[in-house]
Amino acid sequence: MKLHVFDNPEILSENLAEWICSLVEKTLKQQQSFSLVLSGGSTPKILYEKLASEKYKGRIEWERVRIFWGDERVVPFTDNRNNARMAFDTLLNKVNVPASQVHIMRTDIEPNFSVAEYRKMLHAYFDSTHHSFDLVLLGMGDDGHTLSLFPGSPIIDDNYHWVNSVFNEQQEMYRITLMPALVNKAKKIVFMVDGEKKAQVLEKVLEGPHQPEKLPAQLIQPASGELHWFLDKAAAKSLQNTGK
Ligand SMILES: O=C1O[C@H](COP(=O)(O)O)[C@@H](O)[C@H](O)[C@H]1O
């Protein structure tokens, strides 16, 4: 695992945008396409806007990128809480990824049908490969959740399926989520975490005992890929070991 700590979310996002561009450039010299999983929530918005900016968007051959989502809130695409909607507003409407390569988790059909569709599509891509995605971007909530894997969730113990849906009682909505069984096969996984509000839980996730039922972010342990945590100073402030 490698920690990258920056002064603030702006500098963090700038450095991560640079890191992603270099990775995509390098990878596309060796293979035809690049598979990128986007995270939702509010943290990645600055990153997506940077990737869509004049400075970065020309660095990536977006025609050769395949886009997936880590999780989705089952609300209409027009709803501001929809993770795909956020990614379109900040990034995808501004770059040239062919529509056939953008794989949203559908919220216009029943969650179990959407899950079945997403599983089928992912199995077609990755059944015959050792790794799954080239890069998975993840966030973490201040309760230690990642993807739509919340503390105490009934799907947390599922080590078999690649995608699940789950009803979130607190938010009174279904969620659709990739599962660790697939995410942990990725070549590279990057968590992006900022803000003092997440400092305590981050310390527990990274330096506390292994208790993934309470801290689902601990379920993310790549089998043979790389795990990176891009943090700002405020989020990293309770960590003992920042490698410095
Ligand atoms: O609900 C979600 O939360 C996490 C963290 O979001 P943030 O707003 O704290 O950045 C996010 O990674 C996930 O994709 C999203 O559905």
Side-chain angles (χ1 to χ4, degrees), residues 16-17 19-21 23-25 27-28 31 33-40 44 47-48 51-52 60-71 87 91-92 95 97 101-105 118 121-122 125-126 132-138 147 178 182-183 186-192:
L16 184 50
W19 189 91
I20 291 171
C21 287
L23 175 67
V24 178
E25 282 167 347
T27 308
L28 287 179
Q31 61 188 51
S33 64
F34 187 93
S35 50
L36 171 64
V37 177
L38 299 178
S39 58
L47 169 70
Y48 297 166
L51 288 172
I60 292 181
E61 278 184 81
W62 289 101
E63 301 78 8
R64 295 170 67 190
V65 177
R66 298 181 194 278
I67 302 285
F68 304 83
W69 271 267
D71 72 313
L91 172 64
L92 298 173
V95 295
V97 190
Q101 291 168 205
V102 178
H103 301 289
I104 63 166
M105 292 171 160
Y118 221 71
M121 176 272 296
L122 289 170
Y125 272 118
F126 300 120
S132 57
F133 310 101
D134 292 304
L135 175 62
V136 177
L137 296 175
L138 293 177
L147 299 158
L178 297 188
L182 178 67
V183 171
K187 290 184 191 161
K188 290 194 169 54
I189 301 175
V190 169
F191 272 95
M192 193 183 176

Side-chain angles (χ1 to χ4, degrees), residues 186-206:
K187 290 184 191 161
K188 290 194 169 54
I189 301 175
V190 169
F191 272 95
M192 193 183 176
V193 181
D194 65 31
E196 197 174 344
K197 229 172 73 166
K198 295 181 180 171
Q200 269 199 325
V201 74
L202 183 68
E203 191 262 330
K204 287 186 189 146
V205 167
L206 293 182

Side-chain angles (χ1 to χ4, degrees), residues 12-214:
L12 185 169
S13 303
E14 186 80 26
N15 278 272
L16 184 50
E18 182 62 47
W19 189 91
I20 291 171
C21 287
S22 303
L23 175 67
V24 178
E25 282 167 347
K26 201 171 127 200
T27 308
L28 287 179
K29 284 190 181 133
Q30 292 150 4
Q31 61 188 51
Q32 277 310 307
S33 64
F34 187 93
S35 50
L36 171 64
V37 177
L38 299 178
S39 58
S42 54
T43 311
K45 283 184 186 171
I46 315 178
L47 169 70
Y48 297 166
E49 282 163 358
K50 287 202 180 288
L51 288 172
S53 70
E54 288 309 317
K55 179 169 178 190
Y56 291 106
K57 79 171 176 187
R59 298 254 320 262
I60 292 181
E61 278 184 81
W62 289 101
E63 301 78 8
R64 295 170 67 190
V65 177
R66 298 181 194 278
I67 302 285
F68 304 83
W69 271 267
D71 72 313
E72 188 53 277
R73 301 155 176 180
V74 182
V75 291
F77 182 79
T78 47
D79 187 309
N80 282 334
R81 294 167 298 173
N82 185 283
N83 284 337
R85 158 82 191 269
M86 185 279 279
F88 271 91
D89 286 351
T90 52
L91 172 64
L92 298 173
N93 284 334
K94 301 166 186 171
V95 295
N96 282 332
V97 190
S100 60
Q101 291 168 205
V102 178
H103 301 289
I104 63 166
M105 292 171 160
R106 289 180 60 184
T107 61
D108 59 333
I109 52 176
E110 288 293 313
N112 52 336
F113 291 138
S114 182
V115 166
E117 202 177 274
Y118 221 71
R119 281 181 185 162
K120 193 173 165 200
M121 176 272 296
L122 289 170
H123 280 284
Y125 272 118
F126 300 120
D127 264 354
S128 57
T129 60
H130 172 64
H131 284 288
S132 57
F133 310 101
D134 292 304
L135 175 62
V136 177
L137 296 175
L138 293 177
M140 185 189 73
D142 53 13
D143 56 358
H145 88 267
T146 190
L147 299 158
S148 283
L149 301 171
F150 290 87
S153 167
I155 59 172
I156 275 180
D157 294 333
D158 181 349
N159 297 317
Y160 174 75
H161 291 108
W162 286 4
V163 190
N164 272 322
S165 66
V166 65
F167 188 72
N168 185 299
E169 303 281 348
Q170 269 179 331
Q171 299 164 356
E172 296 183 334
M173 68 164 79
Y174 275 95
R175 303 283 215 137
I176 298 171
T177 186
L178 297 188
M179 295 296 292
L182 178 67
V183 171
N184 284 337
K185 280 166 42 123
K187 290 184 191 161
K188 290 194 169 54
I189 301 175
V190 169
F191 272 95
M192 193 183 176
V193 181
D194 65 31
E196 197 174 344
K197 229 172 73 166
K198 295 181 180 171
Q200 269 199 325
V201 74
L202 183 68
E203 191 262 330
K204 287 186 189 146
V205 167
L206 293 182
E207 297 178 347
H210 188 66
Q211 39 185 359
E213 62 297 337
K214 289 189 183 152

